[in-house]
Amino acid sequence: MPETWQPLLAEAEALFKASKFFDGVNKVNKSMELFETEVGGSGSQILKDPATFVAEITPKLSAEQKSALRKMYEVRGDLLSGLGALKRAATEYGSAAILDPASEEIKAKKAKVEAAEKDSLSEDSDKKVPVSVLTGFLGSGKTTLLNHILQAHHGKRIAVIENEFGEVGIDDSLVKAGSLASEENIVEMNNGCICCTVRGDLIAGLKKLIKNSKKTGKPLDGVMIETTGLADPAPVAQTFFADEYVQQHMRLDGILTLVDAAHVIQHLDDEKPEGVENEAVEQIAFADRILLNKCDLVEEATLVEVEKRIRAINATVPIKRTTNSEVEMDFVLGIRGFSLDKIIDMDDAFLEDSHDHQHDNRVSSVGIDVPGEVVQQKLNQWIGWLLKEKGVDLFRSKGVLAVKGMKEKFVFQAIHMLFANSQEGAWGPDEERRCKMIRQNLDREELTKGFMACMAKQ
Ligand SMILES: Nc1nc2c(ncn2[C@@H]2O[C@H](COP(=O)(O)OP(=O)(O)OP(=O)(O)O)[C@@H](O)[C@H]2O)c(=O)[nH]1
């Protein structure tokens, strides 16, 4: 039997009563689109441009159809207001009011969301834990920013969720827990990209943090989610509306995007295979704040050019030029930058429960887990070869290694051909020694063989 709009509308109402706003929006949208087709409309105008739709269709509707349409806009308004998209909810109530000007109830609902929108620092949202999503291309400076945030003296307890692209997780060893970030507050996920298969893991990670904080009686002041450099931030942001528990306890404070001034133009210009989104563009489009990082590596003219490119994608986002991701905390924390209304205006499919995001499968990752120690001289030669011969395609390589004769951990980081290393504290007794690389069109065998040749004989 073909689907009809009536049962879908009833389901949407029931979902609103059960506070399942995200699922409810999906149902009411479907119901409205079916209704639109039934009354001779098309193109989802009923959702995208309610004012025009109502003006054009009303003269053609029976009293019964008019009343159904009024109900639809009302239910959609209720659901959107439940999710916090207050401006859009007011628009929906406005359409319901045009269809039923005598209804005091609709007028009251509209006035209520308009007042709440003005007072967006409402008490209700203040009780929720603010969550920031850190995005930015591979190697753009996300972990560096995270470390500043964790170590800054803001007196806040901040938890971290790490997500890495690839088979070996490394960032947990590179994140320097600050005075208030204890181990129980660092969750690592490396089973896949946060924006696809592991959304369930992300939700579970967020719930675990809230439950931990309730159990220990230590309230959380914030959560930072560091996404992989290859993540599309939209589905990550959607998580805050799709899961009821998360929606009740947390609010998305903002999407913070790190832009690597030296390499971003190359990534923005990268022509992707059909159907694959350019992650660098998406990360800028969804940003609530941009840190234009690595300003030490380029000339003023390049910075101006990069700012122009950013503005062409996101005209209003505040941008700060930074080096080593150094920035005042109030630019990144407690910014109340994320607005569901803004996102729905930009991408009206944002609340759709289907995710057809495809990764660029030319990008793959080789992870090498290395038990034992490497010989410094051989390693230097191999890294030299790697950067010179493979640097153009090599997005990112990083490793935490045990070097023969060195008590400290040897950390190396490379982005394309730029390389840095440092020594980062002594090895713990049970710590793993590992090395990770991410690059396009990877020859796993060649890389693994080259690296293994650097190992010291046992
Ligand atoms: N020259 C220079 N190097 C920087 C700057 N910011 C960060 N770096 C270095 O760039 C490298 C990558 O920085 P990370 O903070 O690990 O970058 P990331 O975005 O977390 O990397 P992935 O997690 O692999 O995507 C490290 O070696 C940093 O020390 C900067 O402003 N200038």
Side-chain angles (χ1 to χ4, degrees), residues 163-360:
N163 176 223
E164 287 204 73
F165 176 80
E167 48 203 4
V168 177
I170 269 188
D171 274 0
D172 57 336
S173 0
L174 299 178
V175 172
K176 303 179 179 82
S179 52
L180 296 164
S182 57
E183 213 147 271
E184 86 224 20
N185 279 339
I186 299 185
V187 176
E188 196 198 352
M189 316 174 14
N190 51 9
N191 303 324
C193 173
I194 211 166
C195 60
C196 309
T197 46
V198 292
R199 193 158 85 187
D201 287 2
L202 171 61
I203 291 173
L206 292 167
K207 286 183 180 166
K208 185 173 145 195
L209 291 173
I210 295 172
K211 286 180 181 156
N212 266 352
S213 116
K214 284 190 175 161
K215 208 163 72 193
T216 57
K218 296 180 191 158
L220 270 182
D221 298 311
V223 178
M224 309 293 307
I225 301 177
E226 181 178 351
T227 63
T228 78
L230 298 170
D232 171 359
V236 182
Q238 204 193 49
T239 304
F240 292 87
F241 304 97
D243 184 85
E244 209 186 318
Y245 187 86
V246 172
Q247 206 241 326
Q248 280 167 4
H249 291 85
M250 298 178 146
R251 67 174 173 84
L252 185 53
D253 187 52
I255 297 178
L256 314 174
T257 300
L258 272 292
V259 170
D260 176 343
H263 297 110
V264 67
I265 291 183
Q266 177 185 340
H267 297 308
L268 289 175
D269 288 341
D270 187 14
E271 283 200 21
K272 296 282 177 180
E274 204 169 311
V276 174
E277 278 158 1
N278 183 320
E279 307 86 3
V281 173
E282 296 285 305
Q283 290 166 354
I284 291 174
F286 276 89
D288 297 307
R289 295 282 186 277
I290 286 186
L291 275 72
L292 177 51
N293 196 35
K294 304 203 170 178
C295 287
D296 55 318
L297 297 179
V298 297
E299 304 286 323
E300 173 66 23
T302 307
L303 290 174
V304 171
E305 168 68 12
V306 172
E307 279 164 349
K308 226 164 79 191
R309 296 289 300 265
I310 294 173
R311 282 276 166 252
I313 300 169
N314 187 335
T316 54
V317 62
I319 305 173
K320 270 253 156 86
R321 292 184 181 186
T322 57
T323 295
N324 291 321
S325 312
E326 273 178 29
V327 70
E328 304 79 48
M329 288 299 117
D330 60 5
F331 187 72
V332 287
L333 291 184
I335 58 172
R336 291 185 178 274
F338 186 85
S339 148
L340 185 57
D341 277 317
K342 193 173 80 185
I343 296 289
I344 298 177
D345 277 352
M346 180 174 90
D347 172 10
D348 51 29
F350 178 76
L351 288 173
E352 267 171 29
D353 194 17
S354 65
H355 176 45
D356 57 359
H357 164 86
Q358 284 180 44
H359 277 283
D360 186 346

Side-chain angles (χ1 to χ4, degrees), residues 139-144 226 293-294 296 324 396 398 413:
S140 54
K142 298 180 291 295
T143 308
T144 311
E226 181 178 351
N293 196 35
K294 304 203 170 178
D296 55 318
N324 291 321
R396 183 78 170 105
K398 52 186 169 180
Q413 303 251 17

Side-chain angles (χ1 to χ4, degrees), residues 92-159:
E92 308 305 274
Y93 291 140
S95 304
I98 293 171
L99 290 154
D100 183 3
S103 169
E104 289 304 321
E105 194 193 346
I106 297 280
K107 272 187 216 143
K109 282 186 178 181
K110 185 164 181 278
K112 195 171 156 200
V113 289
E114 280 169 348
E117 205 229 329
K118 277 197 196 114
D119 182 20
S120 58
L121 296 171
S122 68
E123 241 184 64
D124 178 44
S125 62
D126 263 350
K127 282 186 220 136
K128 296 183 181 177
V129 178
V131 183
S132 314
V133 176
L134 274 182
T135 81
F137 214 79
L138 297 165
S140 54
K142 298 180 291 295
T143 308
T144 311
L145 174 64
L146 188 58
N147 281 330
H148 286 315
I149 293 175
L150 293 179
Q151 292 175 333
H153 298 290
H154 42 52
K156 292 187 160 103
R157 280 176 61 81
I158 292 183

